[in-house]
Amino acid sequence: MIGTHALLIDDGLPQGSVYPVSWHEQLVPTAKRIARIEAIAADLLERLLDSADLSANWSIAASEAILTRFNTMFRKEIRKLASDPSVRGFKSVVCYRSGLDVGLDSRNIFRPHHSLSESALLAAFHKFLQQVVATRKYRIQQKEVNDFLVVAACDVLDKLVGVEGEALPIQFHTGLGDNDIDLIKANPACLQPLIAAFPNVDFVILHSSYPYTREAGYLAANYANAWLDIGEVFPMLSRPGQESVLRQAFELTPTSKILWSTDGHFYPETFYLANKQFRSAMITVLTEMIDAKDVNVRQAIDITVDIMFWNSNALYKLEEEHKYPQLLSVRSTIVETTGATTLLDEFLHLMPGLKYIWVEFISNTGTIRHRMIPLQAFRRQLLEQNYIGITTALPRLLQNETPARGCVATGQFWLMPDLSSLYSNEAISPNTAVVQSWWMTEDIETGDLTHYEVCPRGVLQKQANSLFNEFAMTMLIGFEIEVMFTKPVMNTQDTTYERFELEKKPHSWSNMTFSQLDHLPMIEQIEQALAQAGIKIDQFHAEAGPGQWEFPLPAAPPVQAVDMLYQARAIIGATARKYGLKATVYPRPSPDAPGNACHAHFSINGHRESIKKYEDHFLAGVLEHLSSVMAFSLPIEESYTRIQSGVWSGSEWITWGTQNREAPIRKCGPGHWELKSSDGMGNMYLTMAALLAAGIDGMDHQKELTIQDTSVDAASLNDEERSKLGITKTLPKTLQLTCSALATNEVLRAALGDTMIDDYLAVKEAEADLLSTMSKEERKTWLIARY
């Protein structure tokens, strides 16, 4: 069942011939029930008649009383199942019993003190009951009764939408089936009056409606509450037939309304063959569409992921994205699916005027560096795999290229573009795009390129891989960018920055003062530029510091999240420059106001039971290694001016608390935390790699979470109160202390690599020496100019 996220199992198959729904949870993370309404009705009817005292020739009035009670019981059971978390939808096989031409006459006949004696439903129900009592067979196969069940179920679901705002969908068998079906009445076109009568109820048209796929597609295209499920034809039809069904589905049906299911049953091979053959047919049909330029590669991938995951995940309210967050960002799969030059061509469709590619690489100091390459030269490099060489001195170079201890000029590595990270650079420089890079080195024995052990992106990806490979779990990360907009002031010779002036007008958190209104056109332009680059933020607001704003970024898998962080910062900085301002992430531009942070939300995601099992162990590992992690997350001496109580930056003690903004780790939900002891001055790939490695260590060794949930600022407690909560250590208040902790941390050394950590510590030592030669204001100006 590899690659299968969830099984939705029709519970109407005969008991004893299939395993119960719960049995399947050993095979897949999620197994849920689709409740068949005819089976529910038959069970209720049997229970009802067992308690009824019916003579051989009972009156129709007795049947009316049973029908009224049966209607109440059936509706109550549908409502009950609709709120059952193990049920994700309903199903009707009315197609088999009496056809899809469902009559709506029964919708309004059940009224208080209203007789049913004149209704066709009662006459049919009376006749049906006589057959049941005579045969003791409760299978409901009387058209008026079957129609009543469908209408009653839809009526309940419709009312639930009115009360709760949403309800579960209802599936209908259509088209292809056994020989006891009326093929004419199996046409989903017969469902049109029912679909129109209940616009709040989601109708799923099953089994590709073969041979009526076009009719089903028409309904899905024209009714917001109709969906086409393209199952069962795999593996029931020939390969040409399967491909024909897909083509017919794509003729009119929006791809957002197409669902995939195997209709597997009885034998595991039915699941396997359906999945295998569906993938093959999708490749064939979508490749044809790409060749015809009906869609591009990126769109074809989105179509596939929507049909195979997102559409069903949303309709059946499965919330599987919490277990598989990598599906929130599928761009990285494009490189595996297509050649690099093909992906570049697809990008050019979006940016036909593209002339230059900026290949980006970020050093241990968090310095963002680029190599600019003309488009044709870049294409040639991709084809020949002849990438740009960079000196291996880079990991030990400072921001101004001063070499740190141990820096050597011999050797080089190569920047291999990661085309999944391509984004438009128009906000900064017209007709340009930026791409992140993997650092590669040459294998001495084979001559092949392999990942360089000190590549920051590679170090982070390695930890993400470890989390998935060891625990079948993934991580999502989302950053909160805080920046202050300052005014650069040049010296009299206009050769260097003399200072950066802070906003002096009234400025307040989430308060649109005059100064905020002055900034608003720039802020809105930043949001629009971010959206144009594919970064869609949900909100932005003025922060508490002078001229300070915050831009929370959406969550993504680790490497993509940090890519997005640097992409967003570049856009913010370039847009501010157009307004004559410098956007800085420097941690404490003003000693009298809150500083800049770069808080990181991070969550472990997987099976619900896995999160429950490991979240405390993960947090225990993070807390144990937090002092070492801070060498990356708070990478300059000025960062530690924010390690104090009262400024909502994590306060002073190593602890955690649910929704506690005065703890270095704030718990936001199950398996979801916020790292508050972090700013934007360092290399965030390394910060998150260290954080993830710390958490994995806690999971590996099932470390006990000895620190209790802290609801207040731990600095406000006395020693005895802190001791009861297990709070025993303060946060280190100098870079020297955190670097010393990192230097001796064997766990992080093993995870991130001795070479990477030694390079980093050498750079921090040299950087501290360089900054120590400057006055306080000089080093502040020097750093703001660079960050």
Side-chain angles (χ1 to χ4, degrees), residues 470-510:
E470 291 182 42
F471 301 99
M473 302 183 77
T474 56
M475 173 172 276
L476 278 178
I477 299 173
F479 295 100
E480 298 175 358
I481 299 179
E482 292 181 0
V483 297
M484 286 187 184
F485 296 101
T486 64
K487 182 71 175 179
V489 177
M490 304 298 289
N491 63 10
T492 54
Q493 292 77 34
D494 200 30
T495 56
T496 189
Y497 295 115
E498 182 175 293
R499 65 185 183 279
F500 292 89
E501 293 182 345
L502 295 174
E503 176 69 68
K504 292 184 174 63
K505 297 177 183 178
H507 189 99
S508 179
W509 175 74
S510 296

Side-chain angles (χ1 to χ4, degrees), residues 234-254:
F234 310 91
M236 300 299 291
L237 298 189
S238 66
R239 181 187 297 273
Q242 294 169 355
E243 294 170 0
S244 175
V245 165
L246 275 179
R247 293 187 187 97
Q248 290 178 39
F250 287 153
E251 285 175 3
L252 183 60
T253 319

Side-chain angles (χ1 to χ4, degrees), residues 555-574:
V559 172
Q560 290 90 337
V562 183
D563 289 348
M564 189 192 309
L565 170 68
Y566 287 113
Q567 177 185 352
R569 277 178 44 181
I571 290 171
I572 292 169

